[in-house]
Amino acid sequence: MNRTGRVHRKTGETDITVELKLDGGERSISTGIGFFDHMLTALGVHGGLGLQVQAAGDLEVDCHHTVEDVGIVLGQALAQAWGDKAGLRRYGHAFIPMDEALAFCAVDVSGRPFLVFEGQFPQERTGDFECCMTEEFFRALAFHSGMTLHLRCPYGKNSHHMIEALFKAFAHSLRDAVEPAGSSALSTKGLL
């Protein structure tokens, strides 16, 4: 199994290319949004992924289109990389503390897209990143990869810490879920 994905998507608002390797590799992130680059780099490092993201978007409007569309393209690249999901562990979960904040994530690469997101950020922005875009990013990623994704940050006082804990919790959960664990799909149906 190749375990790689490459997707290019160009719209009137964004032009995005994502190259992904589930088994590690080069990391290079450039979205024009410093904090978002930091989060995607953390995702690559903590997820054990090779991850290259090149995104140009209408940042003169705000960060919304760029962040959401990177989620779309990354989700599509993940779906490409794990193919029919045969032999994957399928499930992953993690608790990640980041100073005063704690985040939890659980994933199922089931082919049934769903997002449950709980988190209230005390600051509206961190750098040029609007904190409300955290949920939009993960929604786009979940629905375009076909994963069930539960993310929760029940407390924290610093939005940077809370969001970073969520990204790292997702990364560790994803790393476990895509680990090879056999030759067939982990499902009573025989396929996912």
Side-chain angles (χ1 to χ4, degrees):
M1 180 186 233
N2 194 3
R3 293 174 54 92
T4 64
R6 185 184 191 281
V7 177
H8 175 248
R9 180 176 188 265
K10 183 176 173 62
T11 72
E13 298 168 340
T14 61
D15 186 354
I16 298 167
T17 302
V18 170
E19 294 185 42
L20 172 78
K21 295 181 180 179
L22 295 180
D23 299 311
E26 183 182 340
R27 294 180 195 101
S28 172
I29 313 292
S30 178
T31 67
I33 308 161
F35 179 76
F36 190 41
D37 289 356
H38 178 43
M39 293 302 96
L40 293 172
T41 300
L43 171 57
V45 169
H46 286 263
L49 305 171
L51 183 59
Q52 296 181 59
V53 178
Q54 294 298 313
D58 56 358
L59 296 179
E60 70 280 2
V61 175
D62 62 17
C63 72
H64 189 289
H65 300 142
T66 302
V67 173
E68 182 177 33
D69 288 6
V70 167
I72 290 170
V73 178
L74 180 56
Q76 292 170 342
L78 280 166
Q80 208 178 82
W82 60 50
D84 66 3
K85 300 178 280 295
L88 296 185
R89 180 178 276 180
R90 179 178 170 178
Y91 297 101
H93 65 274
F95 280 96
I96 297 292
M98 179 96 187
D99 296 346
E100 85 297 343
L102 180 70
F104 168 75
C105 179
V107 303
D108 175 9
V109 295
S110 61
R112 293 188 309 277
F114 203 87
L115 174 70
V116 175
F117 185 95
E118 294 181 5
Q120 297 294 321
F121 303 113
Q123 292 85 36
E124 184 179 319
R125 305 173 76 83
T126 177
D128 291 331
F129 183 84
E130 297 169 28
C131 297
C132 65
M133 289 310 303
T134 307
E135 182 174 359
E136 297 305 318
F137 168 78
F138 283 114
R139 178 177 292 109
L141 187 151
F143 278 80
H144 287 270
S145 66
M147 86 171 55
T148 299
L149 176 58
H150 291 243
L151 282 159
R152 186 166 186 248
C153 189
Y155 53 82
K157 295 180 180 177
N158 181 300
S159 296
H160 182 134
H161 295 163
M162 295 169 74
I163 295 168
E164 188 163 346
L166 285 164
F167 268 83
K168 288 177 177 176
F170 171 68
H172 283 268
S173 301
L174 180 66
R175 186 175 198 159
D176 287 348
V178 301
E179 183 177 305
S183 59
S184 60
L186 185 59
S187 170
T188 54
K189 299 184 202 79
L191 61 93
L192 291 171

